[in-house]
Structures are given as C-alpha cells and as structure tokens.
Amino acid sequence: MKLFKLIIESFRFAWGALRMNLLRTTLSLLGVTIGIFAIIAVFTLVDSLERSIKDSLSFLDANNLDVGRFPYEFGPNIPWWEYIKRPYSNYEEYEYLYANLKNAESATIFASARTTVKYESSSFNSAAIVGVAQSHNEVYDMSADVEKGRYFTPAESYTAKNVAMIGYKIANDLFPRGDAIGKEIKIKGLKYVVIAVFEEEGEGIFGDTGNDQVVVIPFKSFQKIYYMGRNRGVEPRISVKGKETDFGLVELEAEITGLLRSKRGLGPKDKNNFSVNRQDAIMNIIGSTFDVIGVAGWAIGGFSILVGGFGIANIMFVSVRERTNIIGIQKSLGAKNFFILFQFLFEAIFLSLIGGGVGLLLVWLLSLVSLGNLDLVLSFSNVVLGLGVAGIIGVISGIVPALMAARLDPVIAIRTTG
C-alpha cells in the first residue's frame, strides 16, 4: 500500500509540474518524443518490409537445396568470372539426381522466360513462361495454388504435351467470361491447352504479381520453344527437397555434390563447377540486411533520446530546487530518504513515458498512412520496446536529481524559500 501511495503521489506531483510549466516540459520532452518516434518508426518500417519480402518469398523452404552455377553469397571478393564459365544444369542431370538421391524427398528442374501470350485477337504481354518437371509439384506443391483445373499428368510431362497452367490475371485478360479451361492459347506460335488457373495472389511489395502473370508448362515442352544455353538468357535450375533427418541438409548436400561430380566427370583434384545452395540462405541475407538497418535506426534515434534525457534531467533539477522547502517539510514529518528518492525518480520516469507515448502515437498514426503495397504494422513488441527505452531514459535522467533531493538536510531545506 505504501508503494502504491508513493506511485500515486509521484504521479500527482509530476502532473502538477507538467501543468504549471507546460511549455518548458513540452520542449524538454520533445527530444524523447522524436527519439522514440525515430527508433520505433524505423523498426516498424523494417519489420513490415521484412515481413512483406519474406511473405513474397514464402515458396522458399529451409529444407530445400538449389543447384546452379552461382552461390548464394555476395561481396567484393566473389570470383564471378569463374562462376560464369560453369556449365548449365540440364534435364539429364536432374533425372540422374532424381533417380539416385537417397536423402531427398524429391527433386525438380525448372526455367523461365518472358514473352507474349495470345488467345484469338487478345494478347497478354510480358507473361512469365515457366517450364517445370513433373516432380515440381512434389517440391513446391503447386496444386495448392490452383483455383480451377489440375496439375500435369506424367504422360503430359514426359511426352512434352502442349498444356498450360495460367495465372489469374492472364485468365481474366484473355478470358473475361471465365471459361479458360480447355481453351487454346498461343506461346511463340505454338498452341497450348489451358488445364488450370491459379488463385489470385495480388500485387506484391515490389510490384510483382506472383502466379498472377505466369504460364506454367511441362519442362520438355518448354525446351521446344526456348534453347537453354549460354548467352540465351534462359538458365535452368535444379531444386531438391530434403528429408527430415537429425543431420539436416548436411548429408543431402554431400550426396548431391558427390553424384553431380560423378555425372560431370570431375577428377579428385578438380574443383566443383557448380554450387549447392540452401534456400534459407536468402532469408538469412535478408535478415542480416535488415539488422544493419535496425542499427541505423538506433543511431538515428539515439541522439534525439540523448538530448531528451538531458531535457528531463534539467526539468528534475529545477523541480528539486523549486520544491526544496516541501522536501524539508516532508522530512521533518518523518518521510524517509527512499520516499523522497522514489518520488522524484517516478516523476522522471512518468515524464519520459509521456514523451515515449507521444512518439508511439505518432508511429501509429504513420502506420495508418498507405505506402503503396506495404502495410505498416506497429507490433506489440515495438510498443513494449518504445516504452521500455523511454522508462530507462527516465531512470537515467532522474536518478541524480532524485539522489540530491533525498540527501537534502531537512533543516536547511525548510529554510530554503525557492
């Protein structure tokens, strides 16, 4: 009860000081407000941006490995000239891995290019044409994204039948009446029968449309219209879905490396002319990038918070001087040092929390503003972080003035007129 009464009384003193010196207090708290706003605004933007990017890359699986020419890494010392000379992955290598891998659930090969898709007098420009193996559905479960129709049959894939699964936007543009299934579209002069339409995904954060503007066809059918070789802009990629094991992807990665070295006829001393990459490496790179941005947010807001802390400390020093006589009276009536200490310390924390609360309110108002395809969300963790930082600043700023008030001699303090 004593602690509760102490808190109530401290809040009452703080509120009284705030009302009596509103302009001074507002200017002093402005630093904390701007600091909390800067930090939490950056964190909210980073969290929202990171979430949107990862949602758009939701097809990536931490249990998948990609095989291609280039490693998933960046830096000034990467020997790109060596990677460019590496051979492309091909269908024969995919079949070899698919048949011989023991630690994999499945594997697939796919490639993509952009071109115009036509139906009678209508056309859709810059559609993404993706050729996939029959087993692609086992790695990425494309059937779950189908709104109407079905996936390729094994016979359609292995005999290079001209069948296609098309995106929602393509279907709406070419077939406004919604009767795309069974119709024939043209891709680079060849006719393809539509067997499925994907669900609508909508526009992503970078203007991407996911499956909405895609045409998926069997890989062997894709090879009939695109030559996949050097300087042609079409490069196939192999993906392997690993099994759930205690060793994670270590065994699978080693198995892929051994099989592919054997397939390509590499000797014991020859370096790998391919890269085996974990798909979650992309997520790690994204996370690291946003960590750096988060540090920048702390740096930007830190200076404002520092200035705000000095402002609160100044308020508390002035408050101690103005209330010295009251402190003397309280001590003469039996108030303990810790009571005086906590009274001023709670006042500093309260004032800091006001500044932090205003900063959070500004961030929340910012989150209501539309930023294109990016939805800003002020998370509960960022609210707690903002209030926590404000509380810490209040403690640091108020501890010295509070100690000075607690150590005042009651006799001298009562004689002080202000």
Side-chain angles (χ1 to χ4, degrees), residues 37 357-370 376 378:
F37 171 78
V358 174
L360 289 172
L361 177 61
L362 293 177
V363 175
W364 178 74
L365 293 175
L366 178 65
S367 69
L368 300 179
V369 178
S370 176
L376 291 179
L378 178 60

Side-chain angles (χ1 to χ4, degrees), residues 28-341:
S28 299
L29 293 181
L30 194 59
V32 174
T33 299
I34 294 175
I36 295 297
F37 171 78
I39 292 177
I40 304 304
V42 169
F43 282 175
T44 298
L45 179 62
V46 167
D47 290 347
S48 301
L49 189 60
E50 185 175 7
R51 184 181 60 257
S52 296
I53 292 176
K54 288 185 176 180
D55 286 346
S56 67
L57 297 176
S58 58
F59 62 90
L60 297 178
D61 193 326
N63 207 37
N64 284 9
L65 293 175
D66 290 339
V67 181
R69 291 189 298 160
F70 300 94
Y72 293 165
E73 57 185 45
F74 300 93
N77 299 320
I78 302 299
W80 299 105
W81 56 92
E82 291 185 10
Y83 302 146
I84 292 175
K85 297 177 183 178
R86 290 176 169 181
Y88 285 64
S89 299
N90 55 57
Y91 193 81
E92 289 71 27
E93 290 176 346
Y94 149 70
E95 287 187 312
Y96 183 73
L97 291 175
Y98 185 79
N100 292 281
L101 285 172
K102 306 299 182 185
N103 293 295
E105 291 283 350
S106 187
T108 183
I109 186 171
F110 57 97
S112 64
R114 289 193 174 272
T115 192
T116 299
V117 179
K118 298 180 179 180
Y119 173 71
E120 295 180 349
S121 60
S122 302
S123 62
F124 189 95
N125 298 321
S126 194
I129 312 300
V130 183
V132 302
Q134 170 63 24
S135 56
H136 196 82
N137 198 40
E138 300 171 3
V139 178
Y140 292 105
D141 191 16
M142 299 190 73
S143 296
D145 299 323
V146 172
E147 182 179 52
K148 299 177 183 178
R150 60 176 176 81
Y151 190 68
F152 312 121
T153 65
E156 289 170 339
S157 294
Y158 297 137
T159 58
K161 288 289 185 181
N162 288 357
V163 290
M165 305 168 69
I166 65 176
Y168 183 88
K169 185 170 178 54
I170 296 177
N172 271 9
D173 284 11
L174 298 184
F175 309 98
R177 296 181 181 178
D179 52 353
I181 305 298
K183 297 298 191 297
E184 289 185 341
I185 59 175
K186 279 189 176 181
I187 305 174
K188 297 183 76 69
L190 294 181
K191 293 181 179 179
Y192 284 78
V193 177
V194 177
I195 63 171
V197 176
F198 290 112
E199 293 179 344
E200 183 180 13
E201 289 191 1
E203 192 171 339
I205 183 174
F206 298 115
D208 56 292
T209 53
N211 286 335
D212 289 350
Q213 298 186 25
V214 72
V215 177
V216 181
I217 62 178
F219 190 84
K220 288 187 175 182
S221 181
F222 184 88
Q223 288 179 306
K224 293 191 297 186
I225 56 177
Y226 287 103
Y227 172 74
M228 286 168 283
R230 199 173 301 279
N231 301 323
R232 297 301 179 99
V234 179
E235 180 172 353
R237 193 175 75 194
I238 295 174
S239 283
V240 181
K241 184 178 182 64
K243 293 181 179 179
E244 295 288 345
T245 65
D246 294 336
F247 297 98
L249 298 177
V250 176
E251 290 183 343
L252 178 59
E253 189 172 355
E255 188 180 13
I256 292 173
T257 301
L259 288 173
L260 205 51
R261 284 182 63 86
S262 174
K263 179 65 176 176
R264 294 190 175 185
L266 298 178
K269 295 184 179 180
D270 294 332
K271 294 198 302 189
N272 291 339
N273 57 0
F274 58 88
S275 293
V276 181
N277 302 298
R278 300 191 179 207
Q279 289 189 354
D280 59 357
I282 298 176
M283 294 297 190
N284 294 335
I285 292 172
I286 293 173
S288 299
T289 302
F290 284 110
D291 287 343
V292 174
I293 298 175
V295 172
W298 277 110
I300 293 171
F303 290 105
S304 296
I305 287 182
L306 184 64
V307 173
F310 285 127
I312 292 176
N314 178 65
I315 291 176
M316 297 311 301
F317 279 120
V318 173
S319 183
V320 170
R321 178 173 296 180
E322 290 177 344
R323 288 155 49 189
T324 300
N325 184 261
I326 297 176
I327 295 171
I329 295 173
Q330 288 178 333
K331 283 197 168 189
S332 66
L333 294 175
K336 303 294 183 181
N337 287 349
F338 75 87
F339 180 86
I340 305 298
L341 173 70

